[in-house]
Amino acid sequence: MPSDGPQKRRFETTAAESTKSSTGRVILVTGTAGFVGYHCAKFFKKRGDGVLGLDNFNPYYPVGIKYDRAQDLEDSGVYTIKADLNDRSMLDHILQEYKVTHVLALAAQAGVRYATKDPASYVASNVAGFVQLLEACRFCDPQPRIVYASSSSVYGLNTVSPFSESHQVDKPASRYAATKKANEMIAHTYRHIYGLSMTGLRFFTVYGPWGRPDMFAFSATIKIHKGEALKIFQGPGGSELERDFTYIDDIVQGCVASVDRIPASTKETAHFKVYNLGNKDPVTVTYMIECLERAIGKKAIKNYVPMPPTGDVLKTSADVSLATRRKAQLVNVKAEKELDYKPTTSLQDGINKFIAWYDGYYKDGLTKEMASYVPY
């Protein structure tokens, strides 16, 4: 929290306005300058929740788009505090001063391949930062309910498809995945020991307006416009990467339902649940490129290369529907049944919406920062 007079007063006034609620919910969203956090915070505020954001504006990808997301949120009435999850005094102040009822914990060091270059950043943010957040929550009275981001990457070397929450996830293929698996185990202990209600969400390759520049839909769009070749990874025998590309509005639906349905954080009522939030229809990266070509109106240059040993998995496929699960004779927790989660956006429709946003956001061309950006 700012220590000097005028800055502190502005902080407190803005945060107080941001957390005004007509619903009784006051939601701390960590990672509001990030892709999913931005969209969720905007949705919560629009329906009348009190919302406060927190983000450290990590420079893993160009920060200009992060500041633009945060500014757009502030224009909508959501204030983003620039702070790190490991700033325990800030977390204590936010949770207790503004009587936070729910936490949507989305802040994390993202990316699978970058973890081979800077593994310590993943431990600091995804593990240590997550523990600090839960420690701050357990000392609140009443304790807030917590929904946190896991990842489809936790399925790692699992060869059974589609992925189900009942599958073993003890063979991660990347350091990033290992930290997300750690989050799930840590969340379980805090539910068991302290009665914190915990819901984990395993996201499957999210895309859409205001997306992450390091993700394929965004980076491929830039390269197609520039006329640069797209690198497409292939597995054994020329097999191609498949992803369960999931449109942002569908992911927001799942996040909101998780926040709305999580029970109170008490020893008697708290739960520990994990859900897949995917699209259930995995497609090849080549098909994604074809969707981009149609939306942009320009052909891509494709360069197929062997998949590097950096932790990517060949296929991700979420098992989210009851029909799919019955066919596979699975009887575990179901996102469709418990969250009424029903993704509806086709890949082509989602890509069309993304390109419409991209064309408007970059109507004057890429920023200098984005033009020189090379994803890991």
Side-chain angles (χ1 to χ4, degrees):
M1 184 173 59
S3 56
D4 63 324
Q7 189 178 4
K8 181 178 179 180
R9 284 194 296 273
R10 181 185 179 278
F11 172 96
E12 297 292 6
T13 300
T14 310
E17 286 294 319
S18 185
T19 53
K20 283 184 177 178
S21 173
S22 62
T23 65
R25 288 180 292 263
V26 177
I27 306 170
L28 170 63
V29 181
T30 70
T32 39
F35 176 31
V36 179
Y38 159 81
H39 282 279
C40 288
K42 197 155 189 175
F43 183 97
F44 289 136
K45 191 63 179 179
K46 186 176 180 179
R47 75 173 187 180
D49 296 329
V51 186
L52 196 57
L54 183 143
D55 205 290
N56 68 356
F57 294 85
N58 181 295
Y60 163 67
Y61 61 76
V63 296
I65 191 171
K66 294 187 176 185
Y67 282 104
D68 286 346
R69 292 183 191 125
Q71 184 59 59
D72 188 70
L73 282 177
E74 189 161 355
D75 293 342
S76 302
V78 177
Y79 181 50
T80 296
I81 299 165
K82 187 175 182 179
D84 192 273
L85 283 175
N86 288 290
D87 185 346
R88 177 60 184 280
S89 62
M90 177 63 80
L91 290 176
D92 288 338
H93 176 76
I94 292 170
L95 292 168
Q96 297 179 34
E97 177 69 20
Y98 303 105
K99 297 178 174 57
V100 170
T101 61
H102 297 72
V103 176
L104 180 58
L106 301 175
Q109 173 60 61
V112 170
R113 289 183 287 278
Y114 182 62
T116 64
K117 298 180 181 292
D118 186 11
S121 66
Y122 289 77
V123 175
S125 179
N126 301 4
V127 181
F130 187 61
V131 169
Q132 288 288 6
L133 177 62
L134 299 192
E135 279 290 295
C137 287
R138 79 175 179 91
F139 283 105
C140 293
D141 185 16
Q143 297 178 141
R145 314 168 193 207
I146 303 165
V147 177
Y148 65 96
S150 185
S151 169
S152 62
S153 67
V154 300
Y155 290 106
L157 302 180
N158 176 30
T159 58
V160 180
S161 182
F163 295 154
S164 161
E165 297 93 335
S166 67
H167 292 159
Q168 291 295 314
V169 288
D170 54 2
K171 294 181 180 179
S174 68
R175 295 183 179 104
Y176 169 73
T179 64
K180 288 301 184 179
K181 170 61 175 175
N183 284 167
E184 294 184 4
M185 294 192 298
I186 291 166
H188 183 274
T189 64
Y190 274 80
R191 183 301 179 203
H192 174 68
I193 300 171
Y194 303 112
L196 284 175
S197 214
M198 308 290 304
T199 298
L201 303 176
R202 294 173 177 170
F203 297 145
F204 283 72
T205 318
V206 190
Y207 73 98
W210 292 98
R212 275 172 41 194
D214 63 313
M215 297 292 280
F216 187 79
F218 204 128
S219 62
T221 297
I222 293 175
K223 288 191 174 184
I224 292 172
H225 277 295
K226 288 182 175 180
E228 297 177 358
L230 300 179
K231 187 183 295 184
I232 305 169
F233 295 146
Q234 288 184 315
S239 56
E240 192 178 331
L241 287 179
E242 291 185 37
R243 290 291 179 264
D244 212 19
F245 295 106
T246 313
Y247 188 63
I248 182 60
D249 288 0
D250 292 325
I251 289 292
V252 170
Q253 175 208 338
C255 291
V256 171
S258 298
V259 167
D260 289 351
R261 300 186 186 200
I262 188 171
S265 285
T266 71
K267 277 284 193 175
E268 294 72 32
T269 60
H271 79 193
F272 171 80
K273 298 239 177 151
V274 178
Y275 298 101
N276 289 335
L277 292 188
N279 191 42
K280 79 180 184 305
D281 294 316
V283 300
T284 64
V285 172
T286 293
Y287 180 73
M288 160 69 87
I289 294 170
E290 292 170 353
C291 291
L292 287 169
E293 289 174 330
R294 286 188 285 270
I296 296 170
K298 183 179 180 179
K299 284 291 184 181
I301 302 170
K302 306 179 186 73
N303 180 23
Y304 291 87
V305 299
M307 188 165 63
T310 51
D312 277 306
V313 294
L314 195 61
K315 180 177 181 178
T316 64
S317 175
D319 188 4
V320 298
S321 71
L322 290 176
T324 300
R325 288 174 184 267
R326 289 194 183 108
K327 183 178 180 181
Q329 295 183 336
L330 300 173
V331 293
N332 56 296
V333 175
K334 305 168 181 71
E336 182 178 331
K337 179 180 179 181
E338 298 193 11
L339 300 178
D340 196 28
Y341 177 72
K342 298 174 183 177
T344 59
T345 310
S346 71
L347 184 58
Q348 188 65 68
D349 286 346
I351 287 297
N352 291 345
K353 292 175 182 178
F354 167 69
I355 294 301
W357 167 82
Y358 179 96
D359 289 343
Y361 186 71
Y362 291 115
K363 62 182 182 297
D364 297 321
L366 294 176
T367 62
K368 183 178 179 181
E369 181 187 36
M370 192 65 74
S372 61
Y373 171 62
V374 178
Y376 290 97

